[in-house]
């Protein structure tokens, strides 16, 4: 059985490892396993270092563990809260913080890390950064001017409250990207968590990869957390990419061919779904040798799910090698064969599905895809009527790909 530690112990360990992203990731996962909730930073709750919420199994993120927030501004926030109680709102916070370290970089970092979420929305705060700093400068200047006067005991007396201008809310993807940039890991939520329900019937969880045998077909999804490109002995570039879902992470191997095909899509923080095979090497964690990928976000995940459901993607478990089909003498029939170069985009999927549903007929639709250097056929559930107009419309969508109408011949 794995050990269970009290929140106080985990907070102490996290303080000692602050700045070590790999260790912090492991420790946050350990907290989750033990039922200890790790909370994002908060100007009304956080101390300089990681601390335990009194009476609860929760650890609050420390202010100095936010990138660009130094010990001086962290100490000023904690002291102001100790002397005057919790900050009522952003205006109250700005009036009570008086240090040269409260600048644009530290303010933006606090906002982007979520430290003001209990007071105001991040997008609105980011749009008002300059206004907030001007207000703070005015308050500080007035306090200096009023020294020795009637207002000396109450330096902010007579200063109007800060009013923030309206602004669109920050996108979820932006908020999480900011968190990872400033905290090193995702804290308020995992970027993949919102897509679990949509994709759970179509992909396997990453935890299952570690219990799979060598060469087991794998279709998984997650967010990219690191990319390491190397050059092979032959001088060809390839890459090792780490992705993680809400539970664990796994390494993806992009050999030169697949890396050349998908290099432009491999961006830190990007969500992707992929197919490949599990690789087992002695003494190393299991990885996945990638065949194909499809990138998605909150706007396109539904399309990806439908694509997977309809069999409109390279899925190893439904692959049928063309040569094998020839040997087995598959029945003759009518088909519309669409030769794709790599995984189709979400826009192509949407356009093709619209045609397939609006032009029913007796010609089965199948795709030909390149996987591992071989041509493979994927049969879909759609049957259409391939008039000239329909075929032209399909060609317009798939661009330079090949579209062929096959009449009463075996699939080739």
């Amino acid at each position: 059985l794995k050990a269970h530690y009290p929140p106080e112990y985990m907070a102490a360990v996290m303080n000692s490892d602050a700045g070590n992203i790999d260790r912090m990731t492991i420790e946050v996962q350990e907290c989750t396993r033990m039922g200890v909730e790790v909370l994002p930073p908060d100007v009304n709750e956080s101390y300089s270092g990681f601390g335990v919420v009194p009476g609860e199994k929760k650890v609050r993120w420390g202010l100095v563990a936010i990138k660009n927030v130094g010990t001086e501004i962290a100490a000023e926030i904690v002291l102001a809260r100790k002397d005057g109680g919790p900050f009522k709102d952003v205006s109250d916070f700005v009036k009570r913080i008086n240090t040269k370290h409260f600048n644009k970089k530290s303010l933006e970092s606090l906002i982007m890390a979520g430290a003001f979420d209990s007071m105001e929305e991040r997008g609105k705060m980011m749009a008002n950064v300059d206004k907030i700093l001007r207000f703070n400068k005015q308050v500080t200047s007035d306090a200096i001017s009023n020294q020795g006067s009637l207002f000396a005991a109450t330096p902010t007396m007579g200063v109007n409250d800060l009013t923030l201008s309206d602004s669109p809310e920050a996108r979820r993807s932006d908020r999480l990207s900011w968190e990872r940039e400033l905290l090193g890991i995702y804290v308020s939520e995992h970027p993949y968590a919102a897509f679990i329900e949509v994709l759970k019937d179509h992909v396997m969880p990453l935890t299952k990869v570690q219990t799979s045998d060598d060469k087991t077909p794998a279709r998984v999804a997650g967010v990219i957390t690191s990319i390491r490109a190397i050059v092979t002995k032959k001088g060809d570039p390839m890459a090792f990419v780490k992705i993680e879902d809400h539970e664990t992470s796994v390494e993806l191997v992009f050999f030169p061919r697949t890396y050349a095909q998908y290099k432009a899509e491999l961006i830190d923080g990007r969500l992707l779904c992929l197919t490949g095979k599990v690789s087992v090497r002695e003494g190393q964690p299991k990885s996945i040798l990638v065949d194909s990928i499809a990138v998605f976000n909150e706007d396109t995940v539904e399309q990806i799910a439908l694509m997977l459901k309809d069999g409109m993607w390279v899925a190893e478990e439904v692959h049928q090698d063309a040569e094998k089909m020839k040997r087995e003498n598959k029945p003759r029939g009518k088909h519309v064969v669409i030769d794709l170069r790599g995984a189709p985009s979400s826009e192509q999927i949407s356009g093709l599905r619209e045609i397939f549903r609006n032009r029913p007929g007796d010609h089965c639709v199948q795709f030909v895809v390149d996987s591992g250097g071989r041509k493979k056929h994927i049969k879909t559930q759609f049957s259409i009527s391939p008039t000239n107009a329909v075929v032209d419309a399909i060609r317009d969508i798939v661009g330079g790909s090949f579209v062929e109408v096959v009449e009463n011949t075996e699939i080739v």
Side-chain angles (χ1 to χ4, degrees):
L1 295 176
K2 291 186 176 181
H4 281 69
Y5 301 101
E8 291 80 5
Y9 174 83
M10 294 306 301
V13 171
M14 293 167 79
N15 277 320
S16 67
D17 289 332
N20 185 329
I21 303 304
D22 291 338
R23 289 299 309 165
M24 289 298 297
T25 301
I26 293 171
E27 283 148 18
V28 170
Q29 290 174 346
E30 272 296 284
C31 285
T32 301
R33 180 186 67 81
M34 295 184 296
V36 176
E37 185 178 0
V38 178
L39 302 174
D42 188 305
V43 292
N44 265 335
E45 297 285 342
S46 294
Y47 290 92
S48 291
F50 291 88
V52 178
V53 178
E56 300 186 49
K57 291 183 66 174
K58 298 178 181 179
V59 172
R60 176 69 71 175
W61 202 273
L63 294 174
V64 294
I66 304 173
K67 186 178 179 181
N68 302 325
V69 177
T71 56
E72 297 86 355
I73 182 65
E76 177 76 6
I77 292 171
V78 174
L79 180 61
R81 200 172 68 218
K82 179 181 178 181
D83 291 343
F87 304 109
K88 299 180 181 67
D89 51 31
V90 176
S91 181
D92 183 40
F93 176 89
V94 176
K95 287 180 181 179
R96 292 163 57 187
I97 297 300
N98 180 14
T99 171
K100 65 180 181 180
H101 300 286
F102 185 63
N103 51 36
K104 188 169 187 177
K105 181 175 287 187
S106 63
L107 175 58
E108 287 182 338
S109 296
L110 287 165
I111 295 170
M112 294 164 70
F116 290 100
D117 281 2
S118 60
M119 300 180 184
E120 189 56 85
E121 194 276 324
R122 292 186 215 183
K124 187 174 182 178
M125 289 280 289
M126 287 296 290
N128 284 273
V129 164
D130 291 337
K131 188 174 187 179
I132 293 170
L133 291 172
R134 286 196 300 270
F135 184 80
N136 176 257
K137 186 175 182 180
Q138 175 194 340
V139 171
T140 303
S141 176
D142 289 349
I144 295 174
S145 301
N146 291 332
Q147 286 181 355
S149 72
L150 175 65
F151 301 103
T154 55
T156 60
M157 187 175 180
V159 177
N160 294 327
D161 285 339
L162 172 66
T163 301
L164 301 182
S165 304
D166 290 334
S167 179
E169 291 188 3
R171 286 170 58 91
R172 175 181 178 273
S173 56
D174 289 335
R175 287 189 288 104
L176 296 178
S177 176
W178 292 341
E179 275 186 28
R180 187 158 183 271
E181 177 187 350
L182 275 303
L183 306 180
I185 60 176
Y186 304 107
V187 179
S188 63
E189 63 174 314
H190 194 277
Y192 182 68
F195 307 105
I196 295 172
E197 286 300 313
V198 180
L199 295 175
K200 67 179 183 180
D201 294 332
H202 311 298
V203 299
M204 61 190 281
L206 295 183
T207 52
K208 191 175 179 181
V209 173
Q210 299 307 326
T211 60
S212 298
D213 296 328
D214 191 36
K215 298 183 180 179
T216 299
R219 185 165 62 191
V220 301
V223 60
I224 296 176
T225 57
S226 71
I227 304 166
R228 181 168 61 93
I230 65 169
V231 177
T232 67
K233 292 180 179 179
K234 293 183 178 180
D236 299 319
M238 62 174 292
F240 299 93
V241 176
K242 181 180 287 188
I243 66 165
E244 63 178 48
D245 59 14
H246 62 299
E247 292 181 306
T248 188
S249 62
V250 71
E251 185 176 71
L252 311 177
V253 181
F254 286 79
F255 287 122
R257 185 187 61 81
T258 49
Y259 183 53
Q261 183 177 359
Y262 297 116
K263 180 180 179 180
E265 305 284 0
L266 301 178
I267 299 174
D268 194 28
R270 178 166 280 183
L271 290 151
L272 56 83
C273 190
L274 64 105
T275 62
K277 293 184 179 67
V278 175
S279 173
V280 179
R281 299 180 65 184
E282 187 175 352
Q284 296 186 20
K286 295 177 182 177
S287 58
I288 297 177
L289 310 182
V290 177
D291 285 324
S292 63
I293 72 169
V295 173
F296 66 89
N297 55 34
E298 52 261 52
D299 299 323
T300 60
V301 66
E302 295 287 348
Q303 293 289 342
I304 293 293
L306 287 172
M307 178 178 75
L308 296 172
K309 179 181 178 181
D310 293 341
M312 296 172 67
W313 184 4
V314 186
E316 287 294 333
E317 59 267 33
V318 298
H319 274 167
Q320 296 188 68
D321 185 86
E323 292 301 319
K324 181 179 179 182
M325 294 177 72
K326 287 181 180 179
R327 292 195 301 269
E328 294 178 355
N329 295 318
K330 290 294 182 182
R332 297 157 68 87
K334 298 179 179 180
H335 302 272
V336 175
V337 182
I338 304 173
D339 194 347
L340 296 173
R341 309 295 196 264
S345 67
S346 58
E347 291 80 9
Q348 287 175 318
I349 293 299
S350 180
L352 290 174
R353 185 180 293 107
E354 190 70 17
I355 294 175
F356 298 163
R357 287 176 174 168
N358 292 329
R359 296 293 186 273
D362 60 355
H363 284 64
C364 176
V365 176
Q366 68 169 275
F367 292 108
V368 177
V369 297
D370 181 48
S371 179
R374 297 182 301 165
K375 292 291 185 180
K376 295 191 175 183
H377 291 248
I378 300 175
K379 183 178 179 181
T380 76
Q381 66 182 17
F382 297 105
S383 293
I384 64 173
S385 177
T387 63
N388 290 338
V390 168
V391 173
D392 287 343
I394 294 174
R395 287 183 173 134
D396 286 341
I397 291 173
V398 298
S401 298
F402 183 69
V403 181
E404 181 183 12
V405 178
V406 181
E407 301 280 357
N408 295 318
T409 58
E410 66 176 312
I411 305 171
V412 294

